[in-house]
Amino acid sequence: MGIVESTSWNAYVRERDVTPDTSKSPTFDPLMGFPEGRKERVMMATREEMEAANINLKQRGYCAHLLIDWKKCKRENFPLTYKCKHESHVYDQCEFDDYVLRMKEFERERRLLKRQKRILDKQQAESIGE
């Protein structure tokens, strides 16, 4: 079985109870395990700026301000849009970093769910053993 198939099998068949639901918000405290706190992510582009730049709803994320810059560069340099390669690269890198951060959050949630299940199983085993 390939990596995609085995990951899906593990997540949705074998380990259904410890697989986070991506359509819901995290169930654990986001500051859990971070004694100094975490850096809060903020949107750099406002809603009005995104509407003025005709940014699709799917693209209105934490990298929208870079997408606005890239579109502006392409508009100013048309038809020589190759001059906007730097803006394109910066936007793509931001999207990749955002993806990696979301995957890390998913994995953190999954591991905390596994930990919670382990603790509950241990408590149940101790209560049965008494």
Side-chain angles (χ1 to χ4, degrees):
M1 228 187 273
I3 185 70
V4 173
E5 292 84 7
S6 64
T7 303
S8 298
W9 176 262
N10 286 337
Y12 300 110
V13 177
R14 275 186 47 206
E15 300 177 340
R16 175 179 285 162
D17 53 342
V18 294
T19 301
D21 186 1
T22 56
S23 64
K24 297 179 182 173
S25 60
T27 56
F28 296 96
D29 180 20
L31 297 177
M32 181 178 173
F34 295 93
E36 289 91 36
R38 299 173 79 177
K39 183 180 176 185
E40 185 177 345
R41 298 182 77 193
V42 293
M43 289 287 295
M44 304 291 281
T46 63
R47 183 177 184 159
E48 292 78 23
E49 290 173 339
M50 290 186 279
E51 287 175 359
N54 292 328
I55 304 295
N56 293 334
L57 291 175
K58 292 181 179 180
Q59 296 175 321
R60 293 184 184 191
Y62 290 103
C63 301
H65 63 290
L66 298 171
L67 180 59
I68 292 171
D69 293 343
W70 182 29
K71 282 188 166 193
K72 180 180 175 187
C73 178
K74 285 181 10 180
R75 196 170 40 251
E76 290 173 352
N77 292 306
F78 187 79
L80 307 174
T81 56
Y82 67 87
K83 292 183 177 181
C84 302
K85 201 65 172 164
H86 175 71
E87 287 81 358
S88 169
H89 174 72
V90 171
Y91 172 70
D92 289 339
Q93 184 65 42
C94 180
E95 284 288 318
F96 175 75
D97 293 341
D98 182 54
Y99 172 77
V100 169
L101 187 62
R102 285 184 284 124
M103 291 302 108
K104 287 180 178 179
E105 287 296 322
F106 177 86
E107 183 65 22
R108 176 180 183 269
E109 183 78 11
R110 189 180 71 80
R111 289 178 186 215
L112 288 172
L113 285 169
K114 276 187 163 184
R115 178 179 178 261
Q116 184 181 41
K117 183 181 178 204
R118 248 188 346 261
I119 291 170
L120 289 173
D121 290 346
K122 185 178 178 183
Q123 289 174 350
Q124 288 176 352
E126 288 174 356
S127 67
I128 292 172
E130 291 178 356

